[in-house]
Amino acid sequence: MQQEYVSLQLFYEKMICRILLLIILTSCVSGSFVVNVTQTCYQAEENHNITLEWTFTTKPDRSTRSLSIICCLIARHEHFVLYRVIHGVELSKSQDKTFSGRVQSDKDALREGRIRLQLSRLRTDDSGQYLCEVNTDYRFSSARCRVSVSAQRGRERNREGEGE
Ligand SMILES: *[C@@H]1O[C@H](CO)[C@@H](O)[C@H](O)[C@H]1NC(C)=O
Ligand SMILES: *[C@@H]1O[C@H](CO)[C@@H](O)[C@H](O)[C@H]1NC(C)=O
């Protein structure tokens, strides 16, 4: 039963990612609640770490209990959840297994309206679009950035060597 519930949950969250992309592509977000990316594009090498960052509008009196977040990678026509917060609580079971143990969030930054996710031991498969949607007090907004991870130079050289 538990297993079934978890896979249903994962399916549901992949659907959210898909809908989220549609919303980003079709709407022009306006209003007082915004999500921004601090960098639109990241370049990194395999096995290195990067820290992705989004900022969102905060109010001093707002509790993190009202905060829900979903961040996903869209790559190879697939959706992978890397970070999920529901009512201020991080849900690690929502995370796709490709990211398990590789994403570290910064809880202090979150309170200040910054989503900081350190992604470690980068793989070339981590390349793609990263979207985060933030929901709070019935408002939502989202933003995305692009990450490209290149193969390690040593490995490239080896591959070239193999070809000779
Ligand atoms: C990458 O992050 C991991 C885990 O936080 C850390 O142990 C490691 O030293 C970092 N590596 C680099 C190259 O920064
Ligand atoms: C988002 O970006 C806009 C335009 O650069 C800026 O005016 C606004 O303060 C930013 N908001 C947040 C929460 O980062």
Side-chain angles (χ1 to χ4, degrees), residues 4-156:
E4 242 168 59
Y5 171 75
V6 170
S7 60
L8 198 67
Q9 177 89 6
L10 285 180
F11 174 76
Y12 170 67
E13 292 189 338
K14 276 175 190 280
M15 284 297 291
I16 298 181
C17 293
R18 201 162 304 187
I19 292 164
L20 182 57
L21 180 67
L22 282 178
I23 291 170
I24 288 185
L25 293 177
T26 57
S27 71
C28 85
V29 182
S30 64
S32 56
F33 183 72
V34 290
V35 177
N36 291 336
V37 281
T38 55
Q39 205 175 314
T40 54
C41 196
Y42 296 81
Q43 299 265 350
E45 217 178 274
E46 199 177 18
N47 285 324
H48 286 213
N49 299 342
I50 50 169
T51 301
L52 307 178
E53 187 172 319
W54 287 261
T55 55
F56 58 90
T57 317
T58 48
K59 274 195 255 153
D61 56 335
R62 193 158 54 206
S63 140
T64 56
R65 294 269 302 278
S66 65
L67 196 64
S68 290
I69 300 170
I70 185 164
C71 298
C72 355
L73 161 65
I74 298 182
R76 293 162 274 126
H77 306 290
E78 284 221 62
H79 305 69
F80 308 91
V81 176
L82 78 149
Y83 183 61
R84 183 73 164 128
V85 169
I86 294 182
H87 304 309
V89 180
E90 234 175 84
L91 282 192
S92 55
K93 73 168 191 287
S94 297
Q95 190 177 55
D96 198 278
K97 60 182 183 303
T98 62
F99 290 115
S100 61
R102 297 199 298 130
V103 178
Q104 192 134 32
S105 65
D106 182 335
K107 289 180 185 66
D108 294 325
L110 196 62
R111 265 177 241 119
E112 298 160 6
R114 289 181 299 137
I115 303 169
R116 278 174 64 83
L117 301 178
Q118 192 204 48
L119 188 51
S120 52
R121 301 188 302 281
L122 284 169
R123 304 167 181 170
T124 53
D125 279 355
D126 294 333
S127 301
Q129 286 195 74
Y130 285 76
L131 288 79
C132 272
E133 186 197 79
V134 181
N135 275 276
T136 182
D137 301 332
Y138 308 105
R139 295 163 182 275
F140 75 93
S141 180
S142 54
R144 58 179 166 160
C145 60
R146 179 170 286 281
V147 172
S148 57
V149 182
S150 52
Q152 244 169 5
R153 284 201 197 91
R155 265 184 56 180
E156 256 170 28

